[in-house]
Amino acid sequence: GTPDLHVPRDPRLLRLTGVHPFNSEPPLTALFDEGFLTSPELFYVRNHGPVPQVRDQDIPEWQVRIEGLVENPITLTMRDILEKYDQITAPITLVCAGNRRKEQNTVRKSKGFSWGPAGLSTALFTGPMMADILRSARPLRRAKFVCMEGADKLPNGFYGTSVKLNWAMDRNKGIMLAYKMNGEPLTPDHGRPLRVVVPGQIGGRSVKWLTRLIVTDAPSDNWYHVYDNRVLPTMVSPEMSAQNKNWWTDERYAIYDLNVNSATVYPAHEERLDLTTSGEFYTAKGYAYAGGGRRITRVELSLDKGKSWRLADINYAEDRYREYEGELFGGKVDMWQRETCFCWSFWSLAIPVADLENSDALLLRAMDDAMSVQPRDMYWSVLGMMNNPWFRVTITRDG
Ligand code: MTE
């Protein structure tokens, strides 16, 4: 039988792997049409194994242990986490490092399953800052990393990974523990009762079903930290990476911040454009995001294979929460540095129908405030992660 009974899932979710574990993305148009926030049932799911089942009555006693290089090791219950720390609510987009991997697998098979461009979702997360929790355990001066561990039992042990301690201690990085999504308790797929949320970094660092924070002087040695979420040099084949473990243990190849990326939602992939009825203009639309709190600063479209580009309008939907004073769902809306972007943004551009009629494909690229721009060429790597070349949609006309 399936170990994931009683998990509320939108039937529109597209399953990307076999029956178990559950990995899925929403249809891109359904995700986009929901708007800025994604409902928990439609939110993309990346599970490495069975979903830990926690009974309602056991949630107040759920425990998180904070240990390792700390002066004051502590065990916190959910009750402590809710009552003893300031609560924050903030909108955050989570993105799987495998978003758009399907395009890599088409060029050359990687070691991962084929995510389309909908391996991302956005919610208002509520809970305490990780900095406040770590501070109460008093990290030692030589401590450099914080390892996080979840309750899901997997073939290679519990799921775990780490981030730098100074990021976790920096409120502007926004790293938090969350127990609510859009004002409702977390659903089982998304970490019920408690997860980490690391804004601006790949989803793999946001450990679900959190049970332990371990302060250390070295990055996590958890199997899922070492053998997942990396971009190895492009010449490393699956065979090479299996023969030589050193490719995996080189921390320089571990992914933290997301890279700049974007996708077109309308026109949809394989949508047939009926240009005869769309009037003088067709409005193309889609999303863009950047990593590390950086803002998307431009989105450009080309109809002539990248020879010339047109500038799209950008809607930074998260900015309306910056102006929000006070509490939301029991947490103070705290957007850290006023300029930090931790969510997807939306772009649109009205294109003269006549121009579309003369083109075969629409190309798309975004740039962030570090002037990083999506590359023309794909950087293939063995795990197929961080795929962000220019997004391409073929133009198919009716009539
Ligand atoms: N945490 C645990 N305990 N187990 C997991 O399998 N998957 C990670 C991360 N945290 C995972 C986890 C990965 S790879 C991603 S992309 C995100 O959770 C996905 O979060 P979501 O399923 O809530 O969208």
Side-chain angles (χ1 to χ4, degrees):
T2 157
D4 292 351
L5 289 170
H6 316 302
V7 178
R9 289 167 179 159
D10 191 301
R12 290 173 297 172
L13 282 175
L14 307 164
R15 221 178 245 279
L16 302 173
T17 51
V19 173
H20 183 77
F22 188 71
N23 290 299
S24 67
E25 69 181 321
L28 184 60
T29 49
L31 174 74
F32 189 81
D33 292 349
E34 272 209 334
F36 177 61
L37 298 176
T38 315
S39 58
E41 291 75 21
L42 198 65
F43 205 97
Y44 86 91
V45 181
R46 174 70 180 105
N47 291 338
H48 286 73
V51 176
Q53 300 285 330
V54 189
R55 295 182 306 174
D56 282 344
Q57 64 263 39
D58 294 336
I59 289 182
E61 300 311 320
W62 179 268
Q63 291 187 347
V64 182
R65 176 104 187 125
I66 297 105
E67 58 191 18
L69 299 179
V70 294
E71 248 174 76
N72 178 40
I74 42 177
T75 302
L76 298 174
T77 62
M78 273 298 275
R79 220 189 294 275
D80 297 328
I81 287 166
L82 303 194
E83 289 170 7
K84 294 190 179 162
Y85 298 90
D86 288 343
Q87 306 294 312
I88 301 297
T89 295
I92 295 160
T93 298
L94 288 180
V95 185
C96 186
N99 191 32
R100 295 184 60 191
R101 183 190 284 129
K102 189 177 181 179
E103 300 158 51
Q104 296 239 336
N105 282 340
T106 309
V107 168
R108 182 182 178 190
K109 184 83 191 78
S110 77
K111 277 161 67 87
F113 58 84
S114 287
W115 288 101
L120 79 168
S121 300
T122 306
L124 288 162
F125 288 96
T126 302
M129 302 297 297
M130 191 189 279
D132 293 344
I133 298 220
L134 289 172
R135 200 169 296 112
S136 54
R138 297 199 296 275
L140 300 180
R141 285 176 70 94
R142 69 172 194 280
K144 283 194 184 141
F145 297 87
V146 52
C147 302
M148 306 160 274
E149 204 173 82
D152 42 341
K153 286 203 195 69
L154 306 171
N156 297 295
F158 293 107
Y159 185 88
T161 179
S162 58
V163 290
K164 286 191 179 163
L165 181 63
N166 67 342
W167 298 342
M169 299 306 288
D170 178 357
R171 296 179 69 83
N172 295 324
K173 291 271 181 194
I175 301 178
M176 63 188 293
L177 271 52
Y179 60 91
K180 274 187 195 167
M181 253 168 111
N182 298 344
E184 297 293 326
L186 291 183
T187 57
D189 271 331
H190 300 294
R192 181 177 186 264
L194 186 71
R195 76 176 302 166
V196 175
V197 181
V198 181
Q201 298 194 14
I202 54 157
R205 306 289 168 228
S206 293
V207 173
K208 302 192 273 189
W209 313 295
L210 183 71
T211 56
R212 286 212 294 167
L213 295 177
I214 314 139
V215 177
T216 58
D217 57 4
S220 171
D221 60 4
N222 184 287
W223 193 94
Y224 299 90
H225 181 78
V226 177
Y227 294 103
D228 203 351
N229 293 316
R230 285 173 187 247
V231 175
L232 299 194
T234 192
M235 72 285 192
V236 179
S237 62
E239 299 72 40
M240 271 168 82
S241 68
Q243 279 155 16
N244 189 347
K245 252 185 92 171
N246 294 337
W247 288 118
W248 296 105
T249 50
D250 191 328
E251 258 300 289
R252 293 175 301 176
Y253 304 143
I255 315 162
Y256 293 96
D257 283 359
L258 290 160
N259 54 5
V260 58
N261 212 341
S262 63
T264 303
V265 181
Y266 294 107
H269 182 61
E270 290 184 345
E271 176 182 334
R272 297 191 74 83
L273 294 186
D274 181 1
L275 296 175
T276 51
T277 59
S278 35
E280 216 180 317
F281 290 94
Y282 174 91
T283 302
K285 290 181 207 168
Y287 73 75
Y289 62 82
R294 286 178 288 276
R295 184 178 285 262
I296 289 292
T297 51
R298 79 195 70 172
V299 175
E300 297 169 304
L301 283 90
S302 176
L303 292 173
D304 56 6
K305 304 185 167 71
K307 283 200 229 27
S308 67
W309 295 87
R310 316 168 180 226
L311 205 53
D313 293 322
I314 306 172
N315 168 13
Y316 304 99
E318 80 180 276
D319 282 349
R320 70 184 115 110
Y321 290 93
R322 279 176 225 283
E323 283 131 43
Y324 198 96
E325 301 267 342
E327 291 200 348
L328 201 54
F329 309 134
K332 190 171 158 293
V333 178
D334 184 335
M335 301 284 278
W336 311 295
Q337 275 174 351
R338 306 296 289 182
E339 293 306 314
T340 314
C341 288
F342 286 134
C343 297
W344 64 345
S345 54
F346 303 117
W347 60 264
S348 64
L349 181 68
I351 304 171
V353 164
D355 294 357
L356 286 171
E357 274 168 350
N358 294 320
S359 175
D360 299 329
L362 199 151
L363 294 171
L364 175 72
R365 69 179 183 196
M367 191 187 274
D368 69 16
D369 63 20
M371 302 290 165
S372 289
V373 63
Q374 288 178 247
R376 176 170 53 192
D377 298 322
M378 174 183 292
Y379 189 91
W380 185 93
S381 72
V382 70
L383 292 179
M385 288 177 161
M386 303 290 269
N387 187 47
N388 76 335
W390 299 353
F391 193 87
R392 184 180 194 281
V393 188
T394 309
I395 297 173
T396 332
R397 301 171 203 83
D398 258 350

